[in-house]
Amino acid sequence: MDIKITTLAGKDAGKASLSDEIFGLDPREDLLQRVVRWQLAKKQQGTHKTKGRSEISRTGAKMYRQKGTGRARHSSARVPQFRGGGRAHGPVVRSHEHELPKKVRALGLKHALSAKAKASNLIVIDDLALPEAKTKALVASFQKLGLDNALMIGGAEIDANFKQAAANIPNIDVLPIQGINVYDILRRGTLVLSKSAIEALEERFK
């Protein structure tokens, strides 16, 4: 698969050949859903917590005598049916992580890249670098390229000027190639890859 390479200024910079094994697959929604669910589960803090009846600070004495009152038989005031009592089967601090095979994760990334390529939402830029960290100039470049909601993937290290200029632009995410992931690819409208990012991806899946 051949794709046109452009510069940040919108000028033609040649063509790149993309591997069909990475960018030419028929996207499977079930795979993408599995990987996104795995990612979001890992991100959950799992710090939600309520107190059970054993954790309530309240007297353990019997509330009133067993017989003769006409009321129900009760022992502890810590039980869930009373105001201030513990909650039955409430949430506890735990990890929401679950296992997902490495092969499925790798395949999910390929399908996410292929989905962007198939929908014509993939742009290749020769280099994500700026001479100065000027947000206004970068916004103008993005307007020429038609980018208003995009994920930008650079090489192993992102140019400091580009990263700083893009930091305050809404709906624009910038990541090094090590941080590429299915969730961030799918949550943005356009995927922008640098030439070095494509080389790193092809080396990774070789």
Side-chain angles (χ1 to χ4, degrees), residues 10-32:
K11 296 179 181 178
D12 191 6
K15 286 188 176 181
S17 180
L18 303 182
S19 170
D20 287 336
E21 293 180 4
I22 303 173
F23 296 92
L25 302 176
D26 191 20
R28 279 178 50 187
E29 291 185 5
D30 61 316
L31 268 177
L32 297 176

Side-chain angles (χ1 to χ4, degrees), residues 70-180:
R71 300 175 68 185
R73 296 171 294 181
H74 285 299
S75 172
S76 172
R78 300 172 183 169
V79 291
Q81 56 263 49
F82 292 117
R83 184 185 179 92
R87 181 172 171 183
H89 311 298
V92 294
V93 176
R94 67 185 180 92
S95 170
H96 292 269
E97 287 187 48
H98 59 268
E99 293 296 323
L100 190 67
K102 283 184 179 179
K103 287 184 179 179
V104 176
R105 286 182 251 163
L107 194 58
L109 182 55
K110 288 180 182 178
H111 278 253
L113 294 168
S114 296
K116 289 297 181 186
K118 188 174 183 180
S120 300
N121 288 328
L122 176 65
I123 295 177
V124 178
I125 289 181
D126 61 342
D127 191 21
L128 300 179
L130 291 174
E132 290 183 295
K134 298 289 186 181
T135 299
K136 188 175 180 180
L138 189 58
V139 168
S141 296
F142 286 169
Q143 287 175 346
K144 287 179 184 177
L145 295 169
L147 299 176
D148 56 5
N149 188 305
L151 171 66
M152 325 281 291
I153 303 292
E157 288 188 11
I158 301 293
D159 178 65
N161 288 339
F162 183 87
K163 186 177 181 180
Q164 188 176 347
N168 290 330
I169 304 176
N171 301 320
I172 297 292
D173 295 332
V174 180
L175 290 174
I177 188 62
Q178 303 94 314
I180 192 170

